[in-house]
Amino acid sequence: MANWNSAKGGDEDVELILRKLFVGGVRPDTTDDQFKTYFTKFGEIEDFVLIKNKQTNQSKGFGFVTYRQQATVDECLSKKPHTINGKEVDVKRAVPKDQPQERCQKIFVGGLPETTESDLKEFFETYGTVTQCQFKRDQNTGRGRGFGFVSFDSSDTVDKLIIMKHIDFNGKTIECKKALDVKDKQGGGMMNGGHGPNPSVYAPQAGYPPPGYPAPPMPAYGAYPGYPAYGAPAAPQAAAAAPTAPGYAPPAAAYPAVPAYPGYPAAAPGYPAAAPGYPAPAAPAANPYYPQQAQAPGQYSQ
């Protein structure tokens, strides 16, 4: 059987990798015969392997198929969806480990000579259906910046181009890479043998920003306010207004004066005066039921 870890992509063993498929989502009870018989109907198989658990001898859920001809791989991919042993499986090109495993439909093309978007689109149409093509130019001079972007209607075409990696375009070698969006970078990339995301892909912290909220923009360099001069007092800050509960009016600036109740004596000596804003208590009124001699403040009858 072939060495499934020998191919590293790029210029090494490209022809072999282009004849290889990754198959995921296989049922655990799927046998080798079921696996091979299904893919044989698309063309002659050179090699295949269904990865199994050594203890249970059941499928781990994925495997690989290598065809004799590259055209057979294209034929198989064009016949999606695929169902093996009563379950739909995921079939795609076996992308090398050193390439991003996330699926996308857009590539970055570097090393481009001076060209036009129409010529670039016509060139890549030989690999698949092009939905959008961009050739970047300098805004001041109008000259090409040496790179562009090409979008396709299928991620399988993108996988094929990044496996090839280096392509001859008008006598110059250009380089193809996946152009991943933010949503693609957040993916785990576990479909191709569980290798995880490419280390060059930086995703935002999990759980931030919350769903439905955009990420906060990064301030421009120098946008932070300067510090006050040494010894200078900091600028005064206005006091924050107290929050008001929904449906309630804000509190008044000052409480209204409370009327004094008649019959209460004045404050005894040593007690503080009435609070600011409140009137002084009224003089005590005589009690008609218990006529007594007027007493000085602070004195009480026995």
Side-chain angles (χ1 to χ4, degrees):
M1 299 182 69
N3 183 0
W4 298 94
N5 295 321
S6 62
K8 299 180 180 179
D11 298 325
E12 181 182 348
D13 253 345
V14 171
E15 192 274 336
L16 171 62
I17 303 174
L18 290 174
R19 294 189 285 111
K20 185 185 298 186
L21 289 174
F22 167 82
V23 185
V26 182
R27 287 182 52 170
D29 59 348
T30 301
T31 64
D32 288 347
D33 288 340
Q34 289 175 316
F35 190 77
K36 180 179 180 181
T37 300
Y38 179 82
F39 287 103
T40 300
K41 64 183 181 181
F42 299 104
E44 185 180 358
I45 292 178
E46 179 181 291
D47 197 6
F48 79 95
V49 60
L50 186 59
I51 308 300
K52 296 183 179 181
N53 187 302
K54 294 182 179 179
Q55 282 72 32
T56 63
N57 200 35
Q58 287 191 327
S59 166
K60 286 187 176 182
F62 67 97
F64 298 90
V65 177
T66 303
Y67 284 104
R68 292 283 184 187
Q69 303 294 330
Q70 292 185 26
T72 310
V73 173
D74 297 331
E75 172 70 14
C76 182
L77 292 173
S78 66
K79 299 298 182 180
K80 293 182 180 181
H82 298 281
T83 303
I84 303 176
N85 193 18
K87 184 179 183 298
E88 184 175 327
V89 295
D90 179 30
V91 180
K92 66 176 186 176
R93 293 185 183 274
V95 179
K97 294 181 181 180
D98 64 342
Q99 295 288 347
Q101 303 299 315
E102 296 84 355
R103 283 181 170 173
C104 73
Q105 296 176 289
K106 187 177 183 180
I107 62 170
F108 165 85
V109 186
L112 285 171
E114 190 65 33
T115 185
T116 62
E117 291 184 352
S118 59
D119 289 344
L120 194 63
K121 180 179 180 180
E122 182 180 356
F123 173 79
F124 280 104
E125 284 280 4
T126 60
Y127 297 96
T129 303
V130 175
T131 59
Q132 188 177 12
C133 184
Q134 296 176 306
F135 178 62
K136 296 298 182 179
R137 296 184 177 277
D138 187 277
Q139 295 182 354
N140 297 323
T141 64
R143 297 176 58 185
R145 299 175 62 186
F147 70 93
F149 297 91
V150 182
S151 299
F152 298 89
D153 67 343
S154 173
S155 60
D156 294 326
T157 306
V158 172
D159 289 340
K160 180 177 183 178
L161 287 168
I162 68 162
I163 291 173
M164 298 174 69
K165 193 173 182 179
H166 297 107
I167 307 174
D168 182 77
F169 175 73
N170 291 345
K172 185 175 180 180
T173 301
I174 60 176
E175 183 179 10
C176 300
K177 296 181 179 180
K178 283 186 177 181
L180 296 174
D181 296 329
V182 174
K183 64 180 181 179
D184 301 318
K185 295 178 181 180
Q186 293 175 347
M190 299 300 293
M191 292 303 297
N192 194 1
H195 302 311
N198 187 294
S200 64
V201 175
Y202 295 92
Q205 183 179 358
Y208 183 83
Y213 288 83
M218 293 296 295
Y221 179 76
Y224 290 102
Y227 290 97
Y230 180 77
Q237 295 183 351
T244 304
Y248 287 83
Y255 290 98
V258 179
Y261 291 91
Y264 280 80
Y271 281 80
Y278 286 83
N287 192 327
Y289 299 100
Y290 299 95
Q292 297 178 357
Q293 184 179 1
Q295 298 174 350
Q299 295 182 356
Y300 301 93
S301 61
Q302 302 295 327

